[in-house]
Amino acid sequence: MGNGEMGAGRGVSVALTGSGGAGVMTAGTLLLEAAARAGLYGLMVRTSGPQIRGGEAAALLRVAATEVSGLDDRCDLLIALDWQNVHRFSDEIPLDASSCVISDAAAGEVPEAFARTGASVFDVGFKAITKAIPGSWPNMIALGVAAGAIGIPLAAVELVIDRSLKRGRDRLAASVAAAREGHAAGASAAAAAGIRQVVPAESPPRRWMLSGNEATGFGAVRGGVRFVAAYPITPATEVLEWLASALPDVGGALVQAEDELASINMIIGASFGGAPSLTATAGPGLALMTEALGLAVIAEIPIVVVDVMRGGPSTGIPAKSEQSDLNLALWGLPGDAPRVVLAPNSIADCLATTQWAVHLAETLQTPVIVLSDQFFGQTQAVIDRPPELDYQTERLIPGANEAGYRRYADTPSGVSPMALPGTRGVAYIAESLEHNERGIPSSGAADHHRQLEKRARKIAQGDYSANWADLEGEGSCAVITFGSATGPVREALARLRDQGGSARLISLRVLAPILPEQFAAALAGVQRLIVVEQNHGGQLYRYLRAHYDLPAEVRSHALPGPLPFRPAELLAVFESWSS
């Protein structure tokens, strides 16, 4: 198989590394944008040390002619601007004898963690070239090196530099000159090392480039969210940064609250007043919000809470991904408190799922938790333009002076009209105490039982249609997963099919409520099942075992972060399990 053919399939993987301030994230972002300009797909994963800001950093990219949703098994090319603590990323940057390392010999020797892989090493004098081109930066040389090495045209690189760098013409010219020098050096290294290359499209189509956090914000606005309150927290902050500038354009507003407790109470108040509302946080913030979530459940106030999961518990590993908040989202409220829990399964799906979450919250009058994670949230991807969805979302409200208005009427659907404050003749009390149908506090058993049944019924009877899961493939074996584990699972199953094997993929988007009929149909004929998730305790596996009639042979493959799943390791698991 030639280099071009390999690039068209699995693509090529590149790592750009350096100390804080070296600009590797900027170089990686521009490389991904240049790939998009060349008609390619790709993604870029940001990784940093435990200090979050500053310190060592790495941009991990994968570029291909077909859409990619996760990192590959190995890294083809490592470009190191310096070696300051870069050895800490050795597990995240898997090299082998076919890989290539490009670094500046003046910055020191290749660390043992990388040298022992047998990767070929090439010297590019980043500092010397920077000195020879006044006003240039080493990261622009690295951008050119990476593009030249993997086959991205220089014209695409120059275009994104011109478009993206807000500098004077002298600075811009220096950056372009540095990228040109790097491009030539990268092409030379590729020829010598046999680095596989991608094949640019002749007529590049227009695609979107965005992160999962940006997609989440866009989905919220498309869904109708007009008020957001939140407290910044890694790795959810970019959701808020995107919405802060986007909401005023649609007549909305964002408030930076003093903490997570204030933020969720603010959105409950705004939603009570009629404005679709959202907050975004991470696991520690969601933990603080549980009491207020219970208030939204019992008062039947629609809100959306996005949890961009990170390594836990407690502060844990803020800049790394993990799917370990599942139990908290499913169970972490006092009392019997049904709510909807959703999980997007791709960066593009962060948009669609968040928009759908707003629709479900508004129509069911309930809190909806969206479980994204750091991998989705802070990874940038080149994707096809998502389709525009219109759910015709409307909150059920009564007319003025509605005779005998009962805010919490026990309707067949469980959804009852929610009056807007100030509407004549339909005032009611909304608070955290149990109540009767009119909203008057009650400790009576009949009222409590009726309202419990009503709140559970509306969640169970919600219209989740085909959105509840992505179902792919056929056979008597099935893999169940959710969230960012879906991408590597899907790729591993594709490789399994290429080898003559077969298995179904069930990627869950609705994690709560329980959907027994849909689940039974998806599992019809399945004899063996494996549940793949990124946490230590097998939380999804245990949840499914508790609620569904599963096949006799059920296996859990649960691994915690911070390392993402790789297709090859999953393929090995599937081969041994399906044979």
Side-chain angles (χ1 to χ4, degrees), residues 322-324 326-327 479-482 485 489 529-543 554-565 569-570 573-574:
E322 199 165 74
Q323 296 178 310
S324 49
L326 179 59
N327 280 347
V479 181
I480 298 180
T481 190
F482 78 106
V489 167
L529 186 66
I530 186 167
V531 182
V532 177
E533 56 191 306
Q534 193 182 29
N535 56 60
H536 185 259
Q539 296 177 22
L540 179 61
Y541 166 77
R542 298 180 190 281
Y543 175 65
V554 183
R555 179 176 171 183
S556 170
H557 184 72
L559 292 176
L563 297 179
F565 285 119
E569 68 177 274
L570 291 174
V573 171
F574 298 160

Side-chain angles (χ1 to χ4, degrees), residues 13-158:
S13 296
V14 180
L16 299 162
T17 66
S19 53
V24 296
M25 296 305 176
T26 297
T29 300
L30 293 179
L31 179 63
L32 185 62
E33 187 175 346
R37 294 276 176 179
L40 300 165
Y41 294 93
L43 57 77
M44 186 189 89
V45 176
R46 293 167 45 181
T47 186
S48 60
Q51 62 274 64
I52 303 176
R53 302 290 183 183
E56 65 278 4
L60 312 179
L61 293 97
R62 186 180 181 189
V63 178
T66 56
E67 195 164 359
V68 294
S69 55
L71 295 172
D72 205 350
D73 307 312
R74 55 181 289 280
C75 182
D76 297 287
L77 175 64
L78 167 60
I79 301 172
L81 294 178
D82 58 65
W83 293 114
Q84 182 177 327
N85 292 326
V86 174
H87 65 278
R88 294 178 178 176
F89 298 133
S90 59
D91 288 340
E92 298 177 65
I93 306 174
L95 304 178
D96 60 25
S98 299
S99 303
C100 175
V101 175
I102 296 178
S103 63
D104 190 339
E109 295 183 357
V110 178
E112 172 61 22
F114 297 112
R116 64 170 174 254
T117 65
S120 56
V121 179
F122 291 84
D123 174 38
V124 171
F126 293 112
K127 291 184 179 179
I129 295 174
T130 303
K131 192 172 183 180
I133 305 175
S136 65
W137 294 86
N139 66 330
M140 292 297 98
I141 304 168
L143 167 62
V145 168
I150 67 175
I152 296 176
L154 180 60
V157 176
E158 294 180 351

Side-chain angles (χ1 to χ4, degrees), residues 41 206-208 218 222 348 351 382-388:
Y41 294 93
R206 293 185 64 84
R207 295 195 173 102
W208 284 19
F218 195 9
R222 274 193 176 180
L351 192 164
V382 178
I383 62 172
D384 291 320
R385 181 186 179 111
E388 296 203 17

Side-chain angles (χ1 to χ4, degrees), residues 133 139 250 295 344 401 441 495:
I133 305 175
N139 66 330
V250 293
L295 166 61
N401 297 311
R495 296 184 192 180

Side-chain angles (χ1 to χ4, degrees), residues 400-420:
N401 297 311
E402 184 174 294
Y405 175 63
R406 294 173 298 161
R407 165 64 186 100
Y408 300 106
D410 187 16
T411 63
S413 69
V415 179
S416 43
M418 181 180 180
L420 299 179

